[in-house]
Amino acid sequence: MTYRAPVADMLFALRHVAGFEAALSSGRHGDLGLDDAEAILGEAAKVADAVIAPLNRVGDRHGTPLTEGAIATPPGWQAAYRTWIEGGWNGLSADPDHGGQGLPLVLNAACTEMWNAASIAFGLCPLLTAGGIEALAQHGSDALKARYLGKLVSGEWTATMNLTEPQAGSDLALLRSRAEPVGDGSYRIVGAKIYITYGEHDLTDNIVHLVLARLKDAPAGTRGISLFLVPKVLPDGGRNDLRCSGIEHKLGIHGSPTCSMAFGDAGGAIGWLIGEENRGLACMFTMMNSARLNVGLQGVGIAERAYQQALAYARDRRQGKAPGAAETSPIVAHADVQRMLLTMKAYTQAARGICYLTAEALDAARGPEGEAAHDRASLLTPVAKAFSTDIANEVTSLGVQVHGGMGFVEETGAAQHMRDARILGIYEGTNGIQAIDLVARKLPLNGGATVRAQIAGLRRIAEGFLKDADPAHGAIGARLRAGIESLDRATSFQLKALGSNRPEAALAGATPYLRLFGLVQGGACLAQTALAANAARKAGDTDPAQPGRIALARFFADNLLTAASGLEESVIAGGGFTDDAGLALAH
């Protein structure tokens, strides 16, 4: 089953959910117009559909064998990567001063979704490079930027993120890799890292590793970590003292090499400091925050692809007779299959809206809105990452279910989507960590004013919807309003718990709280598309997608958003399990 980028749905979400059309009208993006955006997404779709997507199955079957320290990417990978960078896609939103095109992040977000729907394993390489570009651009010295940024922006070189070590998973305070200054401005890095995506490959002749390590006598814990740029090939053309010591044999994303890296076998890999000594974690979080939104977009992309494949199969596969049918029906005519397919589509479009909103907030942060938009993006980022990747796991699982027994065998490809999606809730900070980040760090921003402003915005959407009392909307407005009230009460509980002597009650409810936030924010996104679709329909638009958008928003409100009240109860009443967890787990 091939992939076709849903450009029309993407543009509709950009315009009516992310506010992209209003941003264009305000002049925020210079002379860029909606026609330009449509043309860019159309060209991206051609590359995603025709160049990258056919390689997805190839990458899964071939893997990335390691031979004498070198990794061979799957057949067709090198040619596809050359085509991709020659189109300028790697630097779409990068600063023009460094060779980028300076286009909006929200437009790049839509393209990122396409690359990863076509093949997550392929899309992972530029995803890490994008984060490396951002970290280096914000924190690197002028000399490092002059030497490396242009090559990274063009895609001639790629970047990696080296955080995790065998003894230190998510707890970076346990890092042991060490760095020693040489006296000429460089450092010698010694240590071992694991789970390094594209740590070695044959797509480019140089790989720029961003590595966390400790200086001698550095403060204990995360306050004593520094960030270093450690290239595979040194400026003089010599090979640096680093190597890929092994690759992981994984459940999915087989086309993406996940490497163990050894630094300093022969005395120390040469590296240069990024930012200040002992301030490396702040620099790395620049890279991680960029990556977290992009991982959310990976979730949207693979969910979209799984939905497209399941829908095509359901239209083709015949079994049983639907009510009123005279002969065997395609399974898409059966109510329960329709429920699964609509759940897949509704979750995917809700997650797309959340991710695009997050990217729009990052764009707005560069303009007059500044700090307020930055705080909004900070609030939304853990939701975009965790909600989108949680639903990716659910949607790809439903895709297997729609296929029935054929979904459980590899030949249909449905199983690959499920296998590939499973990592998304784990890397770049597990979804449990995202939930803790949302509750413990993002809710208290500005004394809770940021989340209160977001909830007030959701209320305005619901109120506007209720004012347009059209029977076509069904109960969308009422259910959205009820969900917002559940979110508001749960938010008040969390903020109060954080300020009490029992913060564990807030953390115990963090995961259901994030899900509640995602459901309500996603429901608001679909409500906005329904309102815009209904307005277009009334204005004479005969596109059948418009009533379909209204129907999908109704389905979400009636079948998925109804979980909001139960999640509220889990947040408020469910945290007490921590008192008895030890007893329950002991037997």
Side-chain angles (χ1 to χ4, degrees), residues 1-281:
M1 162 61 189
T2 56
Y3 164 72
R4 292 290 178 266
V7 174
D9 284 339
M10 290 175 162
L11 282 167
F12 206 82
L14 287 172
R15 294 173 60 197
H16 301 294
V17 175
F20 185 58
E21 196 165 13
L24 292 174
S25 299
S26 73
R28 182 196 294 167
H29 302 305
D31 58 1
L32 183 72
L34 196 60
D35 289 345
D36 300 317
E38 186 172 0
I40 290 166
L41 294 189
E43 288 303 309
K46 292 177 184 176
V47 177
D49 297 356
V51 177
I52 302 173
L55 298 176
N56 192 46
R57 194 74 180 278
V58 175
D60 186 59
R61 289 177 168 176
H62 182 272
T64 55
L66 173 68
T67 306
E68 296 181 352
I71 285 176
T73 52
W77 236 245
Q78 289 182 330
Y81 185 76
R82 284 195 301 271
T83 298
W84 189 77
I85 63 170
E86 286 166 4
W89 299 110
N90 198 63
L92 199 68
S93 60
D95 191 329
D97 289 344
H98 304 131
Q101 299 181 51
L103 290 169
L105 289 168
V106 73
L107 197 59
N108 189 54
C111 293
T112 298
E113 178 192 330
M114 291 189 217
W115 314 138
N116 287 280
S119 171
I120 280 184
F122 183 92
L124 269 168
C125 187
L127 186 152
L128 270 296
T129 301
I133 290 168
E134 192 164 354
L136 185 57
Q138 289 194 33
H139 304 288
S141 67
D142 289 342
L144 285 179
K145 287 191 277 191
R147 184 181 298 160
Y148 291 100
L149 263 182
K151 301 281 192 181
L152 290 173
V153 168
S154 71
E156 184 178 343
W157 295 346
T158 64
T160 71
M161 184 191 310
N162 285 250
L163 288 80
T164 309
E165 297 182 3
Q167 78 291 342
S170 298
D171 189 355
L172 297 179
L174 301 177
L175 294 184
R176 294 176 185 163
S177 293
R178 65 184 190 273
E180 294 185 8
V182 176
D184 60 359
S186 68
Y187 295 75
R188 295 297 180 270
I189 315 298
V190 177
K193 299 288 183 177
I194 60 172
Y195 302 149
I196 309 307
T197 301
Y198 278 90
E200 175 60 36
H201 60 77
D202 59 6
L203 301 180
T204 61
D205 60 12
N206 200 2
I207 302 169
V208 179
H209 299 283
L210 299 190
V211 183
L212 288 179
R214 291 184 182 281
L215 293 163
K216 186 179 180 181
D217 300 325
T222 57
R223 293 179 301 166
I225 297 173
S226 301
L227 180 64
F228 300 90
L229 186 153
V230 187
K232 172 182 173 180
V233 178
L234 294 166
D236 64 5
R239 178 68 186 261
N240 208 349
D241 183 14
L242 61 89
R243 64 186 174 87
C244 172
S245 57
I247 57 170
E248 303 297 340
H249 301 280
K250 304 165 295 188
L251 178 67
I253 56 169
H254 294 154
S256 168
T258 302
C259 303
S260 300
M261 299 297 299
F263 295 87
D265 286 348
I270 299 173
W272 290 270
L273 184 70
I274 295 179
E276 300 176 19
E277 290 186 353
N278 304 324
R279 299 278 297 167
L281 202 57

Side-chain angles (χ1 to χ4, degrees), residues 406-579:
M406 290 303 295
F408 198 67
V409 298
E410 292 288 351
E411 65 188 79
T412 62
Q416 182 191 343
H417 302 322
M418 186 175 172
R419 289 188 286 101
D420 286 352
R422 192 60 193 88
I423 187 61
L424 301 181
I426 298 172
Y427 61 25
E428 302 309 334
T430 67
N431 286 358
I433 289 174
Q434 301 306 310
I436 292 169
D437 177 50
L438 174 64
V439 168
R441 297 186 181 91
K442 304 307 169 55
L443 293 192
L445 278 172
N446 302 309
T450 299
V451 68
R452 293 299 184 198
Q454 191 68 19
I455 292 173
L458 292 170
R459 281 202 175 96
R460 286 192 294 273
I461 294 170
E463 288 164 4
F465 209 91
L466 288 166
K467 285 178 182 177
D468 185 6
D470 191 306
H473 295 156
I476 296 173
R479 295 200 190 282
L480 177 58
R481 182 171 58 185
I484 293 166
E485 296 311 314
S486 285
L487 177 62
D488 188 36
R489 289 188 292 268
T491 300
S492 295
F493 172 84
Q494 293 288 57
L495 288 169
K496 184 177 179 180
L498 287 171
S500 73
N501 60 359
R502 287 203 64 210
E504 67 273 13
L507 300 182
T511 290
Y513 178 80
L514 188 148
R515 181 68 174 210
L516 172 59
F517 201 129
L519 269 182
V520 175
Q521 186 69 67
C525 293
L526 289 181
Q528 288 176 290
T529 62
L531 200 61
N534 202 28
R537 184 182 61 82
K538 288 180 177 179
D541 188 342
T542 59
D543 184 350
Q546 305 299 15
R549 290 178 174 122
I550 300 167
L552 189 68
R554 284 203 312 269
F555 175 86
F556 189 95
D558 292 342
N559 293 271
L560 304 176
L561 190 53
T562 49
S565 60
L567 288 164
E568 176 196 349
E569 284 297 310
S570 294
V571 172
I572 295 173
F577 74 79
T578 57
D579 294 334

